[in-house]
Amino acid sequence: GEVEAQQEALAKHREDLAGALARVAALEESARDEALGLSVAALDAAVTQALEDAGEVGDRVSLLEESVDGVRDMVDALDGVGGDVATLRMQVGELDGAVERVETNGALREA
């Protein structure tokens, strides 16, 4: 009688303990799933932010490329200026020569 009652009580405690352990395992699994879900959400947010940052960097690179192209255009335009300056110097030299001849001719006439 009494031993059987204790054995039944012990069996009931074992069942209760097994049920409690199963609930703990289920809670642990749920917590892992939730943590994994949070990790995936955090990773997704990080990837989204990285893509946005990459887009902003791409926009800045495009602006820099446009600026570089503008500078190259100005440099190309300046390359032509060198020839124009040489031509102008030659024309100024010719004008100086012509002015000297006129002055010399004028001086000769006065004399």
Side-chain angles (χ1 to χ4, degrees), residues 55-98:
E56 290 174 9
V57 169
D59 291 345
R60 287 195 294 267
V61 167
S62 294
L63 289 174
L64 286 174
E65 287 173 343
E66 289 175 15
S67 296
V68 167
D69 289 343
V71 169
R72 284 185 179 141
D73 290 344
M74 287 188 284
V75 168
D76 290 343
L78 288 175
D79 283 344
V81 170
D84 293 344
V85 168
T87 301
L88 288 173
R89 285 186 177 154
M90 188 175 65
Q91 290 173 347
V92 166
E94 290 172 0
L95 286 174
D96 280 345

Side-chain angles (χ1 to χ4, degrees), residues 32-43:
R32 274 194 304 274
D33 289 347
E34 186 176 329
L36 181 60
L38 291 175
S39 296
V40 169
L43 285 172

Side-chain angles (χ1 to χ4, degrees), residues 14-28:
R14 284 184 180 153
E15 285 177 21
D16 291 346
L17 181 60
L21 288 174
R23 286 191 300 278
V24 166
L27 286 172
E28 286 177 342

